[in-house]
Amino acid sequence: MDKNIEILPISIFAPIIEIEDSFLTQKGVRLFLKREDLIHEHISGNKWRKLKYNLQKAKEENHSRILTFGGAFSNHIAATAYAAKVAHIESIGIIRGEENAINNPTLQFAREQGMKLHFISRSLYREKNNASYQEALKKDFGPFFLVPEGGANAYGMMGCCEIMNGYKESDFDIICCACGTGTTLSGIIHANTSKNTHIIGFPVLLDEKSIQENIILLNNNQIKSKWSLQANYTFGGYSKTNSALIHFIQSFTAKTGVPLDYIYTGKMLYGIYDMIEKEEIKRGTKVLAIHTGGLQGNLGFSYLKQKKE
Ligand SMILES: *Cc1c(COP(=O)(O)O)cnc(C)c1O
């Protein structure tokens, strides 16, 4: 595949910054943040990375349409809708039905980009990776290039191998990333050339085992990097929060000026701070956390809160 074709004409600006915080100084830990959230206002962070080679492949195979899956507040749906528009390709989003969310900000945004949305039940949604269901979708919508939920395939991983381009993993003792499917972490693991750097994934949902399996599968069962999953910071499951998490995110943003999302990056950073507090991350350690974006999801968070009030 010709890596020089730029399907998404977006310049990447994702610097590494150091977090200044008296807590970190006290503990003697240096914390750095890779600001992938700054890549783009709408196709931010790892979703841009994961779509890049998927869209390129769709174009190469002369598809005029992509189809993908997601929940009603999905960062992936928002990013795909926008990226497909920019790449001049039609997009269809198969959405896991949540009646109270049909007009939420994520889906409104996706519609505005021209994405065709199709709602299905939670039980049918479980068939999303099933070949016969996908054939049925082709009958309904015509031929398409399929991007799996979350961009979780080998093309998605390929894009994530580029996250550390221009930087050296060996400058950090630990590299951290939040995990939904584990595809982003797979790319970081795959591209890593530093023997001593420990790569830690923070699952944000309870199914740690499927994340582990996906990472091993995407790496063809050949992992040389030192890596592990830290599953103590799921907060009870996907999109679950509590007041400690909300308070942490608000105070982190107030102190550093860096916005976090409640689903992914907030949980990862809460975990990193907690591990530093407990000295599981020791004095003298240099930690790099990947800010994978996801800030559009915060609109959904306030939308649901408003609906409840
Ligand atoms: C989707 C998403 C993730 C999870 O990425 P995976 O590759 O599925 O593990 C992490 N952070 C943010 C902000 C996301 O939107």
Side-chain angles (χ1 to χ4, degrees):
M1 200 185 292
D2 182 355
K3 292 196 182 181
N4 297 319
I5 307 172
E6 278 297 339
I7 300 291
L8 299 177
I10 293 166
S11 64
I12 291 210
F13 175 69
I16 289 179
I17 60 161
E18 180 161 7
I19 299 298
E20 314 270 348
D21 182 344
S22 56
F23 166 75
L24 298 169
T25 318
Q26 233 175 52
K27 290 285 183 182
V29 173
R30 291 181 72 188
L31 175 61
F32 299 83
L33 208 52
K34 177 116 201 329
R35 297 290 308 272
E36 297 273 304
D37 58 313
L38 297 177
I39 287 178
H40 189 265
E41 182 188 357
H42 297 303
I43 328 175
S44 83
N46 65 346
K47 297 304 182 281
W48 184 90
R49 302 273 183 196
K50 292 198 280 186
L51 284 165
K52 180 180 172 187
Y53 291 110
N54 270 297
L55 282 172
Q56 188 164 307
K57 188 71 185 164
K59 285 270 188 179
E60 274 176 16
E61 292 183 355
N62 290 318
H63 281 279
S64 59
R65 186 179 298 121
I66 56 172
L67 178 142
T68 195
F69 301 91
F73 296 92
S74 160
N75 296 329
H76 169 69
I77 288 292
T80 305
Y82 192 92
K85 184 179 82 171
V86 173
H88 302 292
I89 191 160
E90 267 176 54
S91 66
I92 297 165
I94 307 293
I95 310 297
R96 188 177 57 222
E98 273 169 65
E99 291 297 326
N100 69 347
I102 284 175
N103 287 313
N104 78 26
T106 303
L107 297 181
Q108 258 176 28
F109 174 80
R111 276 192 201 95
E112 281 161 21
Q113 310 317 307
M115 182 178 256
K116 201 185 282 172
L117 299 178
H118 179 68
F119 294 85
I120 60 173
S121 67
R122 286 178 169 261
S123 59
L124 190 53
Y125 193 84
R126 279 185 221 112
E127 304 295 316
K128 62 183 182 294
N129 297 328
N130 182 326
S132 64
Y133 178 55
Q134 292 177 2
E135 279 311 307
L137 286 171
K138 283 188 182 151
K139 290 213 179 77
D140 288 347
F141 296 106
F144 52 74
F145 180 87
L146 187 135
V147 180
E149 179 184 46
N153 60 7
Y155 299 114
M157 177 178 103
M158 223 166 118
C160 295
C161 287
E162 298 174 353
I163 288 176
M164 286 298 285
N165 277 7
Y167 293 95
K168 288 207 300 270
E169 292 93 349
S170 58
D171 284 342
F172 307 96
D173 303 299
I174 299 177
I175 298 178
C176 300
C177 179
C179 295
T181 63
T183 308
T184 308
L185 194 77
S186 296
I188 295 168
I189 289 172
H190 194 80
N192 173 45
T193 55
S194 163
K195 280 201 283 292
N196 299 320
T197 305
H198 184 176
I199 298 165
I200 305 181
F202 288 75
V204 302
L205 40 86
L206 297 180
D207 193 0
E208 182 192 343
K209 193 157 168 279
S210 75
I211 296 176
Q212 181 122 12
E213 284 167 2
N214 187 40
I215 291 168
I216 292 168
L217 186 77
L218 283 171
N219 276 283
N220 290 323
N221 237 329
Q222 293 176 326
I223 299 187
K224 292 197 192 88
S225 298
K226 192 158 70 167
W227 76 285
S228 58
L229 294 179
Q230 165 52 274
N232 289 343
Y233 303 100
T234 61
F235 288 83
Y238 187 76
S239 85
K240 298 267 176 18
T241 60
N242 66 19
S243 53
L245 177 67
I246 292 168
H247 179 257
F248 170 80
I249 289 172
Q250 288 168 350
S251 88
F252 183 87
T253 301
K255 267 194 292 199
T256 64
V258 179
L260 300 176
D261 80 298
Y262 294 88
I263 316 259
Y264 296 100
T265 56
K267 290 183 181 179
M268 168 189 67
L269 275 153
Y270 184 104
I272 292 170
Y273 267 65
D274 194 54
M275 289 169 77
I276 294 171
E277 170 65 30
K278 293 177 174 154
E279 297 182 5
E280 290 163 16
I281 293 175
K282 295 192 168 53
R283 188 167 287 278
T285 305
K286 279 169 88 177
V287 181
L288 174 68
I290 311 293
H291 192 320
T292 38
L295 298 169
Q296 75 83 30
N298 289 2
L299 294 174
F301 198 78
S302 12
Y303 170 85
L304 281 181
K305 210 169 136 217
Q306 257 171 22
K307 282 206 126 188
K308 267 190 222 145
E309 275 161 9

